[in-house]
Amino acid sequence: MSQGEFDLIARIRQRAAARGDVALGIGDDCALLAPPPGMQLAVTMDALNVGVHFPPDTAPADLGWKALAVNLSDLAAMGAQPAWGTLSLSLPQGDVAFVDGFFDGFFALAAQHGFALVGGDTTRGPLSIAITAHGLVEPGQALRRDGARVGDDIWVSGTLGDAAGALRQWQAGVPMSPALQARLDRPTPRVALGRALRGIASSCIDVSDGLLADLAHICRASGVGAEIDIDALPASAALRAAFGPDALRVLQAAGGDDYELCFTAPAAASDALGMALAEAGTAATRIGTISAGSGVRPTLGGVAWSAPATGWQHFA
Ligand code: ADP
Ligand code: MG
């Protein structure tokens, strides 16, 4: 079934959950929001384009989930609590089944984080999704990229390389391992971990473009270098089962799309960090140390290691 713009918007509006601080949601020229006094707004935007960020045959529900997940991951990386957002949806046609499926995934994740969809835009065009997400964070408590200091430990949550591993399988035309595909299609934004790291982590970034590329952003912003041990990078059992050691390392170090958090913390904060990880229910692995100088210096068995590529860049 195909529907026009206003019918589609009515369908979306029907499903959008309420939130106490949304004075006016979908339906007028603007939404009206009442942020709690004294909090800072963390604002981020990420777009997903068909053929660039996802294969054309991606299930609509996975797309809805992932489009929101990548934005919530940015909020998590700043230590912000997700609050509201807007959605620009460009669709080739007013395909109701697609839209309903998309919002099944979108609202499933939104509900987990109390995130309210308060507006957006619906247009005809190549399939493309852009979301602006707003979060709340206490002034001075946001986790930034520029706070890493020489001697800090470098940590990463969860496991690395799973999403890239699934993509590699898909590109090679072999069936994707279910556990890897789940990580590619339905990444988990580490919101609770980001919140728990406030006051503990000295810097933080979410791993979207690949660990080496994203850690390099922390190094540049903080004016420091990073020594990391490639053998220390965490891998899932599913990834180990699907790839040999050389391919595994490349996927872990340079594959993107896992949406884990890479963060730094002074060694003296290790007790507080242990409690924060327990509180968030997320595992993290120490993978190296912040050093003087610049750039990321990966080693394997004490010898300098380099990946064939350092992450995904548009227009490169
Ligand atoms: P306008 O022309 O005044 O910008 P629209 O007709 O584009 O308004 O949208 C009507 C209402 O529906 C607005 O409140 C808008 O924010 C909301 N809206 C439109 N598209 C979406 C969407 N994809 N998701 C959420 N809200 C949407
Ligand atoms: Mg208007």
Side-chain angles (χ1 to χ4, degrees):
M1 189 176 55
S2 179
Q3 279 189 343
E5 177 190 344
F6 297 113
D7 295 321
L8 288 177
I9 294 172
R11 283 181 97 83
I12 299 167
R13 182 182 182 177
Q14 236 169 29
R15 297 181 66 173
R19 230 183 103 103
D21 50 14
V22 178
L24 187 64
I26 294 173
D28 211 316
D29 292 315
C30 291
L32 297 174
L33 308 171
M39 295 292 272
Q40 284 185 337
L41 277 181
V43 179
T44 184
M45 176 174 213
D46 258 320
L48 263 69
N49 293 326
V50 67
V52 180
H53 299 96
F54 57 92
D57 61 350
T58 306
D62 291 337
L63 213 46
W65 175 288
K66 186 159 179 174
L68 182 56
V70 301
N71 281 280
L72 297 189
S73 176
D74 282 322
L75 294 180
M78 295 296 285
Q81 183 65 45
W84 333 276
T86 52
L87 163 70
S88 169
L89 204 49
S90 165
L91 301 168
Q93 63 254 329
D95 180 344
V96 169
F98 177 89
V99 169
D100 285 352
F102 179 90
F103 282 102
D104 286 344
F106 182 98
F107 285 124
L109 181 60
Q112 285 185 11
H113 297 283
F115 177 89
L117 180 65
V118 297
D121 201 21
T122 306
T123 54
R124 185 188 293 268
L127 183 57
S128 170
I129 300 133
I131 293 176
T132 301
H134 297 224
L136 300 167
V137 65
E138 297 75 6
Q141 295 258 287
L143 309 174
R144 300 164 45 140
R145 296 179 181 188
D146 59 4
R149 296 293 172 257
V150 174
D152 284 355
D153 291 328
I154 306 169
W155 295 81
V156 68
S157 67
T159 58
L160 293 172
D162 294 330
L167 200 60
R168 176 81 48 99
Q169 291 173 327
W170 179 76
Q171 285 163 339
V174 302
M176 289 188 268
S177 310
L180 301 184
Q181 186 180 0
R183 293 264 291 161
L184 175 67
D185 289 340
R186 298 220 169 195
T188 306
R190 300 293 189 189
V191 171
L193 178 60
R195 295 293 288 160
L197 289 175
R198 282 171 302 142
I200 297 170
S202 50
S203 72
C204 185
I205 192 168
D206 65 324
V207 181
S208 55
D209 296 331
L211 176 73
L212 294 181
D214 289 316
L215 181 54
H217 292 313
I218 285 185
C219 288
R220 214 169 296 122
S222 301
V224 297
E227 320 286 330
I228 63 163
D229 175 5
I230 292 297
D231 262 340
L233 303 184
S236 68
L239 195 71
R240 286 189 195 284
F243 295 93
D246 291 341
L248 187 87
R249 291 183 191 115
V250 174
L251 292 168
Q252 291 175 284
D257 251 10
D258 282 317
Y259 301 98
E260 295 296 348
L261 296 185
C262 174
F263 57 94
T264 60
S270 65
D271 286 354
L273 178 57
M275 284 190 283
L277 294 172
E279 181 192 324
T282 310
T285 307
R286 203 184 81 82
I287 60 166
T289 312
I290 294 293
S291 57
S294 64
V296 182
R297 288 182 291 275
T299 56
L300 180 66
V303 179
W305 182 89
S306 60
T310 52
W312 171 261
Q313 252 192 64
H314 292 274
F315 312 116

